[in-house]
Each structure stands twice: as structure tokens, then as C-alpha cells.
Amino acid sequence: MQNLLVRDCRREDLSAILKIEKESFPDPWGRELLEKELSLSFSWFIVAEVDGEVVGYLVAWIVGDSCELNRIAVTPCMRSRGVGKRLLYELINYCKNRNVKEIFLEVRESNLNAIKLYGSSGFEKISVRKNYYVRVSAFIYRLKLDKGGENAQG
């Protein structure tokens, strides 16, 4: 997508992000939690923007040489258009530039689109947390990073 811009999240983006949260998750994050993410020194919070409109975002924690992807979402009308893949690509490259060795994430077993995205980006399922999301299990994925850029596709 040619007019896709990825940039750091700003406080004025939070209203758009709250809308995407409600459209994307059965347990959406609230404004207070999103504001806290903006203030954490180890949190990396980016947005994807098309023609000045926030269409997706990603929140990850980077501590030492490890990263945990906490949230990634794209507004429904922009899904399957490369926005999520681009956000994930940006995270992978950001981590590589900071000598992060592994990225971890968890995903609902029923979220097939996300599972496909993670698999196509080099993540491997390493574990299952049974009934993690009240009667729905979570799959734990890991991406081991190398210096050569083999696992990041933009």
C-alpha cells in the first residue's frame, strides 16, 4: 500500500485506536491503559496511517533482549491489505536494530487471520495455554531474530 505511513503513536491518536480496539477485541483496552502505554519507557507504540487516518496500531514491550507483542490491530475495512504485515515488519526491524533476540506473542486459537500473519512472518508456535481466554486457548508464538534479516518480509 503506497500511502501507508507508520509512525510513533501520539496522544491524539487514542480516540481512533479506542474505536479499532472495540472493533477488534472482545476485551478492548480502555483509554487509561493506552495512555499508560505511551508513558512506559519499555513500551513501543506505533500506528499505521493512511491519508491522515489511523487504520492500525501495534504495542510491544522490549525488555533487555526480549520483546513481547502485546497488541496489534487493524480497522476492519483495511484488513487483508498489508497493514498488519507492515506493522509486524516494523516491529521485527526495530527489534533487530536493538539486538533483541526473540519476539513472543499470544493469540486466540480462533484468530485464524492473525495466526496466518504470524506464520508467514516466521513465528513458530511453541506452546498452548488452555482456556486462557475463558474457554478459548491461547497459542504462544516466538520469533528468533537473526542479524541477516531472513525472517522479516515487508
Side-chain angles (χ1 to χ4, degrees):
M1 180 174 299
Q2 291 180 339
N3 54 348
L4 178 66
L5 169 71
V6 175
R7 61 169 174 76
D8 288 334
C9 181
R10 300 185 291 250
R11 185 163 259 100
E12 57 265 25
D13 299 323
L14 295 183
S15 292
I17 292 168
L18 283 165
K19 183 176 186 299
I20 297 169
E21 271 286 312
K22 290 176 184 164
E23 296 168 334
S24 302
F25 299 104
D27 54 344
W29 287 3
R31 180 174 291 274
E32 188 175 307
L33 183 57
L34 292 168
E35 286 178 353
K36 184 174 182 181
E37 288 297 328
L38 284 172
S39 70
L40 295 173
S41 63
F42 52 85
S43 181
W44 195 57
F45 197 162
I46 59 173
V47 298
E49 184 180 281
V50 174
D51 299 328
E53 181 181 344
V54 172
V55 298
Y57 63 95
L58 178 149
V59 179
W61 288 357
I62 300 169
V63 180
D65 62 1
S66 183
C67 173
E68 172 109 13
L69 173 57
N70 292 320
R71 216 54 158 190
I72 182 172
V74 175
T75 193
C77 67
M78 294 299 290
R79 291 180 186 158
S80 300
R81 296 174 74 183
V83 176
K85 190 159 189 78
R86 172 70 184 281
L87 287 166
L88 199 54
Y89 171 81
E90 295 290 337
L91 175 66
I92 291 167
N93 284 325
Y94 183 85
C95 287
K96 283 184 176 186
N97 290 334
R98 281 149 188 81
N99 298 313
V100 170
K101 291 185 172 58
E102 301 176 303
I103 302 173
F104 293 92
L105 63 90
E106 63 192 34
V107 60
R108 289 176 190 274
E109 66 181 343
S110 58
N111 192 342
L112 301 180
N113 288 335
I115 290 168
K116 182 179 174 186
L117 170 64
Y118 302 138
S120 71
S121 299
F123 284 81
E124 296 178 321
K125 183 169 76 169
I126 60 169
S127 176
V128 177
R129 291 184 177 153
K130 293 287 185 192
N131 300 315
Y132 185 73
Y133 299 106
V134 186
R135 290 189 224 118
V136 178
S137 295
F139 294 155
I140 309 303
Y141 278 77
R142 176 182 63 202
L143 177 67
K144 290 185 177 181
L145 298 176
D146 60 15
K147 294 286 185 188
E150 303 300 314
N151 26 23
Q153 306 273 318

